[in-house]
Amino acid sequence: MAADARGAGRPPALYLIHSATLESGVLDNPAVLSRLAELAAGGVRVGLSTSGPAQADTIRRALDVRVDGVNPLSAVQATWNLLDRSAGAALADAHAAGWAVVVKEGVANGRLSARGLSGRGDVPAPLAALAAELGVTPDAAALAAVLAQPWADMVLSGAGNTDHLTQNLAALRVQVPADALPELAVEARTYWQQRAELPWN
């Protein structure tokens, strides 16, 4: 997956392997890694996006990649939200290594918005209470928690329309502790299984 293209006929500024996993073998493929190293040497920032319950393992494997003694990878896009925090420590390691860290699914595919966990407005009670206290919608409170992570360089909104975007942007004017609402966290496999069952996914 390429992003932030510079124009027709020119290389992208950022190139990410889409949904890299340990099972795919892409991080152990010499030919792929060699080509990525060429892109990186040419000024393209190269990285990966992750998905699934083993995100942390994939990120840590990516941090260990070497081509001629150098890691060509320097960016990661991963899922982190109040429900699935499993990649947090690995993302902190990536940030400490100088990688750009982009967070996706900050509202858990709508589950941390007014839509709720099932799509019927069943917002988790602690999140609803926090949002009410802050005077924002649940999605803004959830995104503010992501923005509070010291390793998060960029947080994607995922807004589907202008109303969603306006609500999401309220996250920029409130503050939420980085360790907020620990009771909402679920085991990674549970999170991804429930995600796969979402009717709107």
Side-chain angles (χ1 to χ4, degrees):
M1 177 184 76
D4 192 17
R6 297 175 181 173
R10 303 173 69 183
L14 175 66
Y15 187 90
L16 301 178
I17 304 168
H18 179 62
S19 292
T21 64
L22 295 179
E23 292 77 14
S24 72
V26 67
L27 297 175
D28 296 297
N29 186 312
V32 171
L33 296 177
S34 177
R35 180 63 183 122
L36 293 176
E38 290 176 12
L39 286 174
V44 177
R45 188 157 203 167
V46 175
L48 70 160
S49 72
T50 63
S51 187
Q55 287 188 110
D57 294 337
T58 302
I59 294 165
R60 290 201 167 96
R61 174 67 191 95
L63 286 166
D64 289 338
V65 165
R66 295 292 183 274
V67 176
D68 296 329
V70 177
N71 193 337
L73 308 174
S74 63
V76 59
Q77 180 186 107
T79 293
W80 190 96
N81 54 56
L82 290 172
L83 299 177
D84 180 14
R85 311 179 192 207
S86 60
L91 291 172
D93 290 344
H95 180 79
W99 286 33
V101 175
V102 180
V103 180
K104 60 186 174 77
E105 299 185 25
V107 295
N109 302 95
R111 283 183 278 172
L112 297 176
S113 71
R115 170 180 263 174
L117 297 173
S118 69
R120 296 188 293 270
D122 50 341
V123 178
L127 178 60
L130 176 61
E133 178 184 335
L134 296 171
V136 297
T137 51
D139 53 285
L143 287 172
V146 184
L147 290 166
Q149 305 309 310
W151 39 260
D153 296 308
M154 181 182 298
V155 179
L156 303 181
S157 162
N161 56 50
T162 55
D163 287 340
H164 292 165
L165 181 59
T166 299
Q167 293 168 0
N168 287 179
L169 288 173
L172 298 173
R173 60 177 174 82
V174 297
Q175 291 189 332
V176 171
D179 59 353
L181 307 182
E183 65 271 31
L184 294 188
V186 299
E187 198 272 334
R189 291 196 179 278
T190 298
Y191 173 86
W192 288 93
Q193 180 179 345
Q194 291 172 343
R195 180 186 183 275
E197 294 170 355
L198 294 174
W200 58 88
N201 234 7

